[in-house]
Amino acid sequence: MYYRRGNPPKQAHVDIPEGTVEEEFGRRGFFGKVSHLYRSKEPTAWTNIEGELRPHAFNTEDLDGLNGDDFISGRISMLYNNDVNIQMALLSTPMEYYFRNADADDILFVHRGTGVIDTDFGPLEYEEGDYLVIPRGTVYKLNPTEESAFLVIESTGEVELPEKGMLGRQALFDVDVIKVPTPRPTKETSQTEWQLKIKRCNQITTVTYPFNPITAVAWKGDLTVWQLNIRDIRPVSSERYHLPPSIHTTFVLRNAVVCSFLPRPLETGDPKALRVPFFHSNIDFDEVLFYHDGDFFSRKGIDCGMITFHPQGIHHGPQPGAKESAKKKTHTDEKAVMIDTRYPLYLSPQAKEICQSDYWKSWMGYLKQ
Ligand SMILES: [Fe+2]
């Protein structure tokens, strides 16, 4: 069943009729049933928004409690639902205890810093841009050599890799670039007691051992800690067609996906092809973007370390001026992590506290152009 009414272009995202903007109105992110609406006005050209759906933006550096002293109490939740809990964590010195998350898989995205993560499977040296994927139940300990800031995504479902479909199994990144740890004997020290803190139902249980709990000397299997640096992700692009954000999917969680946006060429092969994202209202997904590094030309007033949150039900899309500035560019220069969730996310009190009250106004001004 497919309909067309009015005179829409035959190819979505190309040759948008003069005097209109394109909106993608689609189910299941960018995978399901979809219609494209050609509107005479930007759906974000609002003059006021009252209520919870205002798009939100905040700088994670401003989070109260982000002090680098303790990994558990210093993991500050920003947005959460039953599937994911999106947090920031800062760590200045090595953890004094081992940690096991029995609630969720942890994805630690290293926003900045270097160090070593000791795990049941062995140690890994981490650096900026790494995703460290730690399955639920793994014992680990972070030992920063430089103060480290992590975007933490706790996922109550298993973290998996996406289907690559027609792109082939080696697309975006070959699984061979994923590093896994090799056990290494723990160093002898004068320490006589080791603590393991286990988080279950957000309560902490402390287990004490007379030996270092990292005891594995060998392992085999397909469940382990993964390390993937975003520089090893090779984004797919098209010169003549604006690909949907779902093409940048890195991990699939339960009712959520994690995508990585990396520097890539813009649609320079056809002057009629759309170069900036189409308007959409995420009718089935909440959308969170963490701006890691680069120049976010399509988002005014956004710096590294910031988060934007666009809930289901309210539009977003290019801000005034983005279309014009994209015309002058041939490439994007941004590194960002996106988390899209099937079910609504809730802002934590700490995140609410630091939300920029005027972010929703950044779309105002189309009419003056
Ligand atoms: Fe979006």
Side-chain angles (χ1 to χ4, degrees):
M1 302 262 273
Y2 188 88
Y3 312 95
R4 52 189 288 123
R5 295 289 184 270
N7 191 21
K10 290 207 167 178
Q11 173 63 61
H13 316 332
V14 178
D15 207 8
I16 311 301
E18 190 63 33
T20 70
V21 293
E22 185 186 59
E23 175 185 344
E24 182 155 309
F25 180 74
R27 306 308 303 255
R28 299 170 59 210
F30 303 97
F31 287 100
K33 282 185 186 170
V34 63
S35 282
H36 292 90
L37 287 84
Y38 297 87
R39 295 184 181 273
S40 60
K41 297 270 188 293
E42 292 83 356
T44 52
W46 40 59
T47 53
N48 194 20
I49 307 173
E50 290 295 334
E52 286 296 307
L53 288 189
R54 273 187 178 177
H56 300 276
F58 55 88
N59 195 327
T60 57
E61 307 274 340
D62 299 336
L63 282 167
D64 193 21
L66 199 65
N67 54 33
D69 294 342
D70 182 71
F71 185 62
I72 296 177
S73 63
R75 283 164 70 133
I76 310 295
S77 175
M78 301 180 287
L79 290 143
Y80 62 92
N81 66 14
N82 286 334
D83 300 308
V84 295
N85 190 330
I86 304 166
Q87 308 158 355
M88 277 309 284
L90 190 67
L91 200 61
S92 319
T93 52
M95 288 162 63
E96 288 174 3
Y97 51 85
Y98 286 83
F99 177 63
R100 176 189 288 154
N101 192 344
D103 282 332
D105 287 21
D106 276 331
I107 301 176
L108 308 184
F109 175 74
V110 184
H111 176 47
R112 59 166 200 271
T114 54
V116 176
I117 178 169
D118 285 325
T119 79
D120 270 332
F121 299 90
L124 286 166
E125 283 179 23
Y126 67 79
E127 60 176 326
E128 189 179 311
D130 275 342
Y131 285 107
L132 302 167
V133 182
I134 304 158
R136 175 203 296 250
T138 306
V139 172
Y140 69 93
K141 176 174 171 321
L142 290 156
N143 308 290
T145 47
E146 262 176 29
E147 185 177 74
S148 303
F150 304 96
L151 172 73
V152 183
I153 305 158
E154 272 194 76
S155 165
T156 52
E158 190 178 342
V159 177
E160 296 179 283
L161 298 176
E163 292 292 331
K164 307 282 177 65
M166 288 197 300
L167 294 170
R169 292 172 59 200
Q170 278 70 41
L172 276 75
F173 60 88
D174 196 318
V175 288
D176 224 0
V177 302
I178 295 178
K179 290 183 194 157
V180 298
T182 303
R184 193 165 66 198
T186 48
K187 284 187 192 132
E188 290 287 327
T189 64
S190 55
Q191 197 171 336
T192 53
E193 275 192 343
W194 283 260
Q195 285 191 331
L196 168 64
K197 293 188 187 260
I198 305 170
K199 182 168 89 72
R200 178 64 178 154
C201 300
N202 278 327
Q203 304 287 316
I204 299 294
T205 299
T206 304
V207 180
T208 303
Y209 287 103
F211 51 83
N212 186 320
I214 301 293
T215 51
V217 294
W219 65 266
K220 68 188 194 74
D222 58 5
L223 181 63
T224 186
V225 174
W226 290 339
Q227 180 181 33
L228 169 68
N229 195 284
I230 53 167
R231 71 167 167 262
D232 289 326
I233 299 175
R234 296 164 192 272
V236 176
S237 60
S238 164
E239 272 200 308
R240 301 180 59 219
Y241 179 67
H242 190 86
L243 295 166
S246 45
I247 200 74
H248 305 294
T249 304
T250 309
F251 302 114
V252 178
L253 320 180
R254 190 183 66 200
N255 299 321
V257 291
V258 177
C259 303
S260 309
F261 292 103
L262 290 155
R264 61 190 185 280
L266 285 167
E267 296 74 4
T268 50
D270 180 349
K272 292 181 175 171
L274 202 68
R275 282 190 178 195
V276 287
F278 37 77
F279 289 92
H280 54 285
S281 64
N282 296 349
I283 56 179
D284 283 330
F285 279 83
D286 272 13
E287 181 180 309
V288 178
L289 259 166
F290 175 72
Y291 300 87
H292 167 56
D293 193 19
D295 170 25
F296 312 106
F297 77 94
S298 67
R299 281 267 168 271
K300 261 189 231 161
I302 295 295
D303 293 321
C304 298
M306 285 187 70
I307 281 199
T308 56
F309 170 42
H310 300 135
Q312 295 166 36
I314 193 145
H315 284 90
H316 61 278
Q319 288 161 312
K323 209 164 114 190
E324 286 63 37
S325 62
K327 276 185 196 156
K328 295 176 213 143
K329 290 189 175 270
T330 56
H331 288 73
T332 68
D333 182 29
E334 61 183 19
K335 291 182 189 161
V337 176
M338 182 171 83
I339 304 124
D340 276 14
T341 64
R342 171 67 189 86
Y343 294 103
L345 285 165
Y346 300 95
L347 275 163
S348 71
Q350 289 98 325
K352 272 188 187 162
E353 192 72 21
I354 56 169
C355 275
Q356 296 178 354
S357 56
D358 283 353
Y359 175 59
W360 65 276
K361 293 182 182 170
S362 62
W363 282 272
M364 292 166 81
Y366 295 104
L367 303 178
K368 293 186 207 114
Q369 284 178 40

